[in-house]
Amino acid sequence: MTTIGCVLPPYGNPPSRFAPFARTAEAAGLDEVWLWEDCFLESGPATAAAMLAATERLRVGIGVMPAPLRHVALTAMETATLDGMFPGRFLPGLGHGVQSWMGQLGVRAASPLTLLREQVGALRALLDGERVTTSGRYVTLDDVALDWPPASAPPVLCAAKGPRTLRLVGEVADGVVFDGGAGLAAVRRALPLLDEGRAAAGRPPVRDSGPGSEDPFRVVTFLPVAAGPDAVERVRRAAATEGLDPQDGAVLADHFSWGSAEQVADGLRRFVDLGATSVVAEPTRDEPDLDGFATFVGERVAPLLL
């Protein structure tokens, strides 16, 4: 079954905004709220902790945290702590990080693929309760184990765009996060590359790896959404900001969904039909009412997708 969520972007939103938004999203019936950990805004795990504490059933995902910024043991400790407090409700994600920001911090990796491979492997092992000793190019652990590993380890998700990263994520991760800039065509092209990685690891194809399978693999897709009388104008502004042609209807339809609840649901359903396990509505940067957006998605759009 596909879960329905929305994004609360970090830009323009102070820390005090996140817990109230989570309560609004839960009251609207949404399954998930997603965040990301951009430099130099809110901490992903700290924000997720506040949102989880403010709600009772809502799942909170981070799509994603920059791997170069984080020591894998710290990420494992934070993830295990949140899962221990809120079992099954925290969804951690990792990615390469924005390379210019990683350069500012002095942690830019010469081989982002190697770093991600080492981090994901070590993180999954630690969350599974293993005692880990490894000496890689970027990850070194000497007899490290969590005192309080999760009773059931949460999935480790990864953002991916390029072919090599997609193959790697299919091979080593428990799921993929496609951000709001991906678009439908890019997600369609990505699935065979994920399958190549899974095949290399002896894992079943994405289509055969839904919830309940022996080796489940999550496909999380963000899609920018706009509703209201100025929806088309906001979509066009968002497209121009992303370097897309705001007058090209096919491009807009590939990357956005806008209009009535039925029209937005139709846009999200395209990703469900591709096999997405979570479809996540992302507000445009100039969304005038974020609480209203969450309520619209939860109360009016989500029932059309269930």
Side-chain angles (χ1 to χ4, degrees), residues 124-142:
R124 291 182 77 201
L126 290 168
L127 294 176
D128 281 338
E130 298 179 21
R131 184 169 296 277
V132 182
T133 295
T134 184
S135 180
R137 183 173 179 180
Y138 296 103
V139 174
T140 298
L141 299 172
D142 182 11

Side-chain angles (χ1 to χ4, degrees), residues 2 184 187-188 191-192 194-195 198 203-211 213 215-219 269-277:
T2 302
L184 185 70
V187 172
R188 185 180 291 112
L191 295 176
L194 291 166
D195 282 343
R198 291 180 64 78
R203 307 176 73 186
V206 172
R207 279 282 189 180
D208 298 332
S209 305
S213 68
D215 185 5
F217 188 84
R218 292 177 181 246
V219 177
R269 191 176 293 109
R270 298 173 300 166
F271 292 87
V272 176
D273 292 343
L274 281 182
T277 57

Side-chain angles (χ1 to χ4, degrees), residues 240-302:
T241 299
E242 296 297 322
L244 303 172
D245 183 352
Q247 303 304 320
D248 188 327
V251 168
L252 295 183
D254 186 72
H255 287 81
F256 301 90
S257 188
W258 66 93
S260 66
E262 290 77 11
Q263 289 169 318
V264 169
D266 286 345
L268 292 169
R269 191 176 293 109
R270 298 173 300 166
F271 292 87
V272 176
D273 292 343
L274 281 182
T277 57
S278 294
V279 289
V280 184
E282 179 181 335
T284 58
R285 282 179 177 258
D286 54 359
E287 167 60 53
D289 181 5
L290 287 169
D291 286 335
F293 178 83
T295 299
F296 169 75
V297 176
E299 294 185 356
R300 297 184 57 193
V301 176

Side-chain angles (χ1 to χ4, degrees), residues 1-182:
M1 181 177 176
T2 302
T3 57
I4 315 299
C6 71
V7 173
L8 180 60
Y11 42 73
N13 290 304
S16 60
R17 187 74 183 84
F18 284 77
F21 181 85
R23 288 191 286 267
T24 297
E26 181 170 75
L30 286 169
D31 301 309
E32 299 172 353
V33 166
W34 285 81
L35 320 166
W36 57 79
E37 190 173 60
D38 271 359
C39 299
F40 300 94
L41 297 160
E42 289 90 358
S43 154
T47 304
M51 298 178 87
L52 289 164
T55 55
E56 295 182 358
R57 60 162 188 83
L58 192 74
R59 288 186 294 275
V60 178
I62 306 180
V64 291
M65 299 175 278
L69 183 62
R70 305 186 133 268
H71 193 287
V72 67
L74 178 61
T75 303
M77 291 161 59
E78 290 171 329
T79 299
T81 299
L82 289 174
D83 189 81
M85 292 177 173
F86 312 102
R89 294 176 55 203
F90 177 56
L91 301 170
L94 292 174
H96 293 315
V98 176
Q99 295 306 296
S100 59
W101 289 336
M102 299 304 100
Q104 281 183 269
L105 296 167
V107 294
R108 185 168 181 165
S111 177
L113 282 169
T114 302
L115 170 60
L116 193 63
R117 177 184 290 277
E118 292 181 3
Q119 281 235 4
V120 171
L123 180 58
R124 291 182 77 201
L126 290 168
L127 294 176
D128 281 338
E130 298 179 21
R131 184 169 296 277
V132 182
T133 295
T134 184
S135 180
R137 183 173 179 180
Y138 296 103
V139 174
T140 298
L141 299 172
D142 182 11
D143 196 32
V144 174
L146 296 173
D147 278 13
W148 299 100
S152 179
V156 176
L157 313 177
C158 290
K161 289 184 179 179
R164 291 192 298 166
T165 305
L166 285 161
R167 293 187 187 98
L168 174 65
V169 170
E171 179 184 349
V172 304
D174 300 312
V176 64
V177 178
F178 293 108
D179 67 25

